[in-house]
Amino acid sequence: MAISYDEVITKYDPVLGLEVHVELGTASKMFCGCATVFGAEPNTQVCPVCLGLPGSLPVVNGKAIEYTIAIGLALNCSIAPFSRFARKNYFYPDMPKNFQTSQYDEPICVNGYLDLEVETEDGVKEFRVEIERVHMEEDTGKSLHVGGATGRIHGADYSLLDYNRAGIPLVEIVTKTIEGTGKYAPLVAKAYVKELRDILRGLGVSDVKMEQGSLRCDANVSLRPVGEKKLGIRSETKNVNSLRSVERAVRAEMIRHAGILGKGERVKQETRHFHENTGETTPGRSKEQAEDYRYFPEPDLVPVAPSKEWIEEIRSRLPERPSDRRKRLQDAWAVPDKEMAAMVNADVLDLVEESVKLGADPTKARGWWLGEIARIANEREVPASELSISPKDVAKIVELVGKGELTDKLARQVVEGVINGEGSPQDVIEARGFKVVSDDGALLAAIEKAIAAQPDVAEKVRNGHIPAAGALIGAVMKETKGQADASKVRSLLLKTLGQSE
Amino acid sequence: MSETPAISRSDVANLAKLARIEMTESELDHLSSELAVILNAVARVSEVAKGEIAPTSHPLPLVNVFREDQVAPSLTQEEALSGAPASEEGRFKVPQILGEEA
Amino acid sequence: MIRQSAADMAQALAKKEVSAEELTKAHFERISTVDSKVKAFLHLDTEGAINAAKDVDQRRSRGENLPTLAGVPLALKDVMTQKGIPTTCGSKILEGWRPPYDSTVVTNLKRNGVVILGKTNMDEFAMGSSTENSAFHPTHNPWDLTRIPGGSGGGSSAAISAFEAPLAIGTDTGGSIRQPAAVTGTVGVKPTYGGVSRYGLVAFSSSLDQAGPCARTVLDAALLHEAIAGHDPKDSTSINAPVPKVVEAAKRADVKGLKIGVIKELQGEGYQKGVLDRFQESLEILSSLGAEIVEVSCPSFDYALAAYYLIAPSECSSNLARFDAMRYGMRTGEGSAEEVMNQTREAGFGKEVKRRIILGTYALSSGYYDAYYGSAQKVRTLIKDDFARSFDKAEILVSPTAPTTAFKIGEKSNDPLAMYLNDIATIPVNLAGVCAMSLPSGLATEDSLPAGFQIMAPAMADDRLYNAGAALERELLAKWGKPLLEMAPELL
């Protein structure tokens, strides 16, 4: 009998730890000059250094240091006056040197925090997530497993290795234990990763696409009985490839742990793999003992000691924080909190801002993105940003409606048409022959027709019964195939029947 | 005088696993006695390395050696694969990997 | 022709008294005559060398201004990568590997027009003091073919000593250039750490390794030193400063008023009498030239060997992890990738290498790090401090290079600790990162075998080595009446 989330929350207090890896968007790799662009032919972006050939030596990419410092500053960290690279020693075929050049006890950024505003069923809650450290390391090569059923490693006959991604700069951001989130734990985790992603995107240090792996999240979850101080045993979940998965994975692990603890058993400390399709986690290969990485300072690299001037210079170039930006936009557009949160939650804030920059009225732009477009996005289970409609399109549509060339009803159809790939708003309008009938002559003709068809209704209106006009307006709209401006029809009709608003 | 640090045969066997070397039984035997002797000789470093002495990781006081973020020519695929024991479709071919990625 | 110094060869070439092609061919002939006995070489690049020599000749005949050493032949220790040429590091695990890139040292040599004859034998991955750990065969000391030529760079020094090449490149991590130089009666220098690029130097112990010149005279070594040294942006640990003016210093050779510190801890018990006698005589010679001899004490040196045999194996256990049968080198065994890896490393690495990998893995393990690797790094600081204090009292420090002359092949190969003791005087230099030279001080009376005199100088003061070394060399030559190498009973 599966335990419900509500039961879990009554009995247990969740503790989280989130590790996020970011691929930096530098032109060259962390320790050599090989290109970092995606999609090249295998093993064409490798050199003696990133292939780990005997005799090769690493040289640090200065831009990667700059980006890492920027990330640390954006996360309110202290920048270490002296930090070192270290070797993390373990064997795996995708690691050319069989050690990873990383950082160990002297990372470049420490002790930061990130403030979150999490939208919950009980309103917007504030949480502060403390950051333990931010450090630099290098990515591994990629393996293709051949011969097995699903292309996964188990049961494969052999593997093919491509080292193009070996040596790509990675930044690892590690939180301190996140406590006190209670039932909101899954939401807090998701909000953390999202806010982090937005900050990183704003800094321009990475394209942060979770689905492509340039932003990766490992979620550590443990439970302890409510009121208990001692931490429970944690599991680490990998392969969390979207924001939605972060929330689902945390939730799934909380329920799973509770199930085990409820039976009086111990949770296994292990690494687990999240599955998108089932929403469950499965265990990775269990190891007999924890691997001893035998960390020691990297002798081929010298320490990093960024000057105060350099740090301040990077700080001065930091862009506006997402939370500050949101406050600024909220004030500028005079948006209520709930709507602001809705825009952030639906991930359309950038799109609305862009539309406004292109001339759209903020309220109208918001209306479209949060309304029709968000509805379609939800239906198709994709983010709004992936639909084929752009802020430019929305700005155009808002403009046309404003000018009276489109009615709201027509505009909705245009939006749908653009999303379905029929082209720009103009293309859709032309293709479907949308034209707002605003020509008085044409309208009057339709009005006459409607009056003639319903003389008794028309009489009612003439006698002052204004609401009755609705039936006539409806008839006119039908006659014009919905392409008439309803309010114009109304005023013309009333005028014709000797009435005014 | 430091006492002989115990390094057992099973210690050596574990170390060989960690270092990915499949040693023979007789190698393990010999190595554990040789290492015990060597460790006895080197253990004395902890005698004198007491107190607040900073360790030296680099002989030279260099810091902040960086390179510009510029793309430099890579090896060709052929050069990269030139030493490969086996390759297929431009990739290094390796036998079935048992362990899970860390 | 082959018995000349490199400097004289260079002059003859410049004056067109001999062509580079002739000179190179003469050396290959010498190699074919003697190397079956000496076994200094692992690979000869006959075609490549002759082509390079021809190219030098062509450029010279076109009237181009060529670097001093253009056309002079050289032997390269097989630990340095040379594009397209087999590089084994004396190990089966790299047998047949042809690197797709040149080490910076080789790039610099090629730029200077130096002709690389081939790759020389060495202890496997530079671990050893006798070249007996080579996976292929030992090298024999040209002074006495039943004896070791030193290690790990025994091949390079033997080649120099046997006139198979006037110049050679070696690498020195704990004495691997200097000790072979001492036991073969030749000159070898370990430059200041960071003075010569390590890019392309297959790493043994990254914070200790350094490539350096081997030659028959101090001036030859200086010429080679200037050709290979200098900042390399591909090596983060390379010094970004001009190369010390070592050729000028070698020509100056003036020790008047020079303060020379004799290190108390590097003599006495454990040192062969003949070695100590020659050392004393050399001191007297320097004194007679106007130098002032003082005694200095470096107590931490008693711990140097122990620290070295923790740091070097630790770093090498990590550096050698890349040899896993996946991307290059030997692949043997069956089964999974892990099984193939384990079996290949078992079959491909020799005894000493395996011993050090296991030792290093242990010293770095959690729970042991502080006592072993961590402590050794602290001892390193103490050694640096002792050097710094001593260099306040003297401009150079001196000692015998090695405690004994060349021992017999097989004599110490079963006793690792006894073997390690060969490096007792050379190791402190690597731990501190300073520079040192070994030059011949004469023959030990007991066995008529060469002994070496070691000169040490502070980091970046490599010129002091050459100045003092050249002065001593000049006086010794005068004393002997002829070069030491001409006194070899069977120097073939």
Side-chain angles (χ1 to χ4, degrees), chain B residues 5-7 15-16 18-24 27 31 34-35 37-39 41-42 44-49 51 53-57 59-60 62 65 79 83-86 92-99, chain C residues 83 193 207 236-239 302-303 306-307 309-310 325-329 331 335-338 340-343 345-346 354-355 357-359 361-362 371-372 375 377-382 384 417 420 432-433:
Chain B
I7 181 161
L15 290 169
L18 216 49
R20 300 294 190 273
I21 303 175
E22 188 174 290
M23 289 194 169
T24 65
E27 270 182 302
L31 205 49
E34 282 165 3
L35 285 177
V37 172
I38 296 172
L39 279 171
V42 301
R44 60 207 306 253
V45 290
S46 55
E47 283 165 23
V48 78
I53 309 170
T56 296
S57 304
L60 303 168
L62 291 173
V65 175
E79 285 174 320
F92 293 85
K93 184 172 170 183
V94 308
Q96 180 197 32
I97 303 171
L98 291 181
Chain C
K83 189 169 176 179
Y193 182 85
S207 70
S236 302
T237 59
S238 96
I239 298 173
D302 284 342
Y303 296 88
Y309 279 102
L310 283 169
M326 302 290 120
R327 290 163 293 285
Y328 44 80
R331 180 185 281 186
S336 65
E338 287 85 352
V340 165
M341 214 186 271
N342 294 353
Q343 288 162 42
R345 288 164 68 79
E346 161 66 10
K354 282 190 251 193
R355 191 164 24 229
I357 289 177
I358 299 297
L359 183 54
T361 307
Y362 184 70
Y372 292 118
S375 295
Q377 295 286 52
K378 291 184 176 182
V379 169
R380 212 171 162 173
T381 304
L382 295 175
K384 271 184 92 173
L417 273 188
Y420 297 165

Side-chain angles (χ1 to χ4, degrees), chain A residues 26-35 42-48 51 59-63 65 84 90-94 144 152-154 156-163 285 291 294 297-299 301-305 310, chain B residues 14-21 55-83 86-102:
Chain A
T26 52
S28 62
K29 292 187 180 181
M30 185 72 219
F31 299 118
C32 67
C34 287
N43 294 305
T44 55
Q45 283 171 190
V46 295
C47 72
L51 257 190
V59 185
V60 173
N61 183 334
K63 191 123 216 127
I65 305 279
R84 241 193 269 269
Y90 66 101
F91 287 78
Y92 202 80
D94 68 3
L144 274 182
R152 289 215 52 222
I153 199 172
H154 299 293
D157 290 331
Y158 59 91
S159 297
L160 296 174
L161 286 152
D162 170 19
Y163 294 100
R285 255 197 116 69
E291 182 96 42
R294 305 183 300 286
E298 170 62 81
L301 292 174
V302 298
V304 176
W310 191 30
Chain B
N14 283 337
L15 290 169
K17 277 209 187 83
L18 216 49
R20 300 294 190 273
I21 303 175
T56 296
S57 304
H58 292 104
L60 303 168
L62 291 173
V63 291
N64 294 339
V65 175
F66 304 141
R67 38 167 265 275
E68 293 291 317
D69 183 29
Q70 268 169 15
V71 175
S74 297
L75 292 172
T76 63
Q77 192 189 75
E78 202 187 316
E79 285 174 320
L81 293 169
S82 62
S87 65
E88 191 178 283
E89 289 174 18
R91 292 181 170 86
F92 293 85
K93 184 172 170 183
V94 308
Q96 180 197 32
I97 303 171
L98 291 181
E100 193 76 51
E101 288 150 77

Side-chain angles (χ1 to χ4, degrees), chain C residues 11-12 78 88 113 120 131 138 165 174 220 244 343 359 391 396 410 414 434 438:
Chain C
Q11 266 208 356
D78 205 18
T88 68
T120 56
T131 309
D220 283 359
Q343 288 162 42
L359 183 54
F391 280 128
I396 59 169
N414 285 324
V434 298
S438 177

